[in-house]
Amino acid sequence: MKENIRRAIYDKYIEPTKKERPDFIGVEIEMPVVDLGGRAVDEAVSIAAAERFAEHFGFTAEGHDSDGNITSVKDSRTGDILSFDCCYSNLELSFGKAAGLFEVRERFEKYIRFINSEFARSSYTLTGMGINPNADINRNRPIQNERYRMLYHYLHSYTKHKNEVAMRFHERPDFGTFTSASQVQLDVDYNEITDVINVFGLLEPYKALLFANSYLKDYPEFLCVRNMLWERSMQGYNPHNVGMFAKPVSNVDELVDYIGTQSIYCTMRDGRYVDFTPVPVDEYFSRSTITGEYFDGEQYRSITFAPEEKDLDHLRTFKFEDLTFRGTIEYRSSCCQPLSEAMTVAAFHTGLKETLPELKELIENDRVIYSHGFSAAELQELLSKRSLPAFIDETAVERQLINILDLSALGLKKRGLGEEVLLSPLYERAERHTNPARTMLDGLEGGTDIRDYIEQYAAI
C-alpha cells in the first residue's frame, strides 16, 4: 500500500513539473470588505455587489451557499474568478493564467474600481490589509456551504486536542474569516523543485520585513500575524502541513517522503464534507477505517468510513512554498498589500524565479541574519514582529534587501515587459525600514484615524 501511495503522490505532485508548458503566472488576492461606519458587514450588501459585478462583466455563477446566494463567479474567457473566501467580508480575485503582470494589474484595477463604486453606495470598501480592521466588529460567520461549514467546524475543534500536540493553540479559530493573503503561483521545472523550495524558504525572513501587513490587537507584537494564526491552529496540528520546512529538502524523493508525512483532515462522502483529527498520509492509507463528523443539515453526526485513494485529493497544506498538482509552486506567506501596490508580491517572486542561481548564491551565503544561531523558521517569526531582535543591524538588512530587490528587478528586465517598475514600492520600504503594517501603526500612534488608512490602502 505504501508503494502505491508514494506513486500516487509522485503522479499528483511531481509528474506535472516534467511537462513542457508555457511560463504562466497565477495571481490570487484576498481583500477585506469594510463598513466605513464601523459596523459589522451586512452579508446582503456583499452578495448584491457580487451579483452586480457578475452582470456587469458577464461572469457566470459557479458557486452558491445553502440559501442560493452567489459565492463565486467566473469569466469563461479569461478564467478570472471573483469569490468570497470563508465569509462575505473577505473577497478574493483569482486571475486566470497570465503571461505578464501588467495584464493582471489592468484587470485587477478595472474590477476594483467597479466593486468599490458599488460598495460606496453603502459606505463600504475593499481595502488592502491582511487583517480586516473590523475583525472584532464583524460577525465572522462562515459561508453556509459544505466546504466553509466544514472548515469552521474543524478549526473550532482545537479545544478537544489541546493536550495532544506540543503546541499552544491561539484563541481565534475564526481567523479564516478575517485574514487576507496575496498569493502567486509560478510554474516550476522538475530540476528546480528543491532549489526553489529551499532558497525561497531562506528568503522568508526578509519577506516578512517587506510585506508585513496583518496587525491584530489580540497579538500586538506581530506586524504579520497571519502566519502565526495558521500555524497555531488546527491547520498546524501537524507542523508539516504549514509554514516552513525544518531543514533543506535534498531531492525529489525526500520531498515525496515529506508529503507522505503531511496530514489529511477532511474528505467527502456522499456529497458531504467529513472532518476528523488529522492523520498523516502514510498512516491514513494504512488504516482500515477513519472516524469523523459531518453535518446532516441540522446537526453534526459521527461517521466511520474506509480510506480511498482519491482522498489524497483532499490533502490541504499551507506551506509557505507549496508544491501544487498544477506543476506550480504557490507562494503563500504574504499578506494582502495596499491595493495600489497589489502586484508587488507577484512581481517580487516572478523576478526572483528568473534569477534563481544568483539568489541561491546570495541567500545561502547570507551573514546578515544567518549568523546568529537562528533557523530560517525562527528568524521568520522574529522578523514578523514589531520589535526586531537586538542582533539585527538594520543598515545591513537594508543593503541586503536592496540586493534581493535588484535580483528581482534583473529577472523582470530579462522578461522584457517593463515589469521591474512594479518593485518601486518595495525599494521605498527597504530604504525607509518599514512595511504597510509598521507604517499604519506608527500613524495610529501619532493620532491618525484608522479610517484614513483603510481609505489610503483602498486607493488605486
Side-chain angles (χ1 to χ4, degrees), residues 150-341:
M150 175 278 295
L151 180 60
Y152 195 80
H153 178 255
Y154 169 70
L155 290 172
H156 280 73
S157 71
Y158 79 101
T159 55
K160 305 175 186 175
H161 303 289
K162 286 187 173 182
N163 298 321
E164 294 178 12
V165 289
M167 176 181 70
R168 179 172 56 85
F169 288 101
H170 62 68
E171 302 295 327
R172 293 302 303 259
D174 58 344
F175 70 93
T177 62
F178 59 77
T179 56
S180 301
S182 179
Q183 299 170 168
V184 58
Q185 288 198 36
L186 300 174
D187 289 306
V188 62
D189 183 82
Y190 173 82
N191 295 314
E192 293 185 337
I193 296 174
T194 55
D195 269 353
V196 169
I197 288 173
N198 294 333
V199 172
F200 277 90
L202 290 172
L203 195 62
E204 287 296 338
Y206 285 111
K207 284 170 55 179
L209 292 172
L210 282 176
F211 294 111
N213 193 24
S214 55
Y215 174 78
L216 183 64
K217 65 181 182 181
D218 303 54
Y219 306 97
E221 69 272 26
F222 284 95
L223 294 177
C224 178
V225 75
R226 278 185 56 257
N227 297 325
M228 184 279 288
L229 292 174
W230 283 95
E231 292 172 13
R232 298 183 196 168
S233 73
M234 281 301 292
Q235 298 288 15
Y237 182 94
N238 179 350
H240 284 196
N241 278 46
V242 296
M244 299 173 68
F245 291 82
K247 62 184 182 67
V249 180
S250 300
N251 52 54
V252 166
D253 288 341
E254 188 174 295
L255 179 60
V256 170
D257 286 341
Y258 188 95
I259 293 172
T261 70
Q262 295 177 322
S263 291
I264 298 174
Y265 66 84
C266 68
T267 192
M268 295 197 83
R269 289 293 185 271
D270 300 322
R272 296 187 184 277
Y273 263 106
V274 180
D275 67 274
F276 41 86
T277 301
V279 183
V281 170
D282 289 340
E283 180 184 345
Y284 182 89
F285 290 105
S286 69
R287 289 190 186 182
S288 57
T289 60
I290 301 287
T291 298
E293 293 182 306
Y294 72 97
F295 187 68
D296 70 357
E298 295 183 0
Q299 62 182 329
Y300 282 91
R301 294 186 177 276
S302 179
I303 180 175
T304 299
F305 59 94
E308 300 174 4
E309 190 171 305
K310 66 181 181 180
D311 293 340
L312 187 62
D313 292 340
H314 293 280
L315 172 61
R316 302 188 186 280
T317 57
F318 299 91
K319 305 298 288 182
F320 291 167
E321 283 73 39
D322 223 353
L323 181 62
T324 78
F325 65 88
R326 300 179 180 90
T328 65
I329 297 285
E330 184 165 10
Y331 301 87
R332 291 180 169 274
S333 65
S334 298
C335 305
C336 173
Q337 300 296 293
L339 301 189
S340 63
E341 302 171 2

Side-chain angles (χ1 to χ4, degrees), residues 19-35:
K19 296 176 181 176
E20 288 287 332
R21 57 207 191 279
D23 205 12
F24 286 127
I25 302 166
V27 176
E28 301 173 8
I29 300 173
E30 302 163 2
M31 296 157 283
V33 180
V34 182
D35 182 330

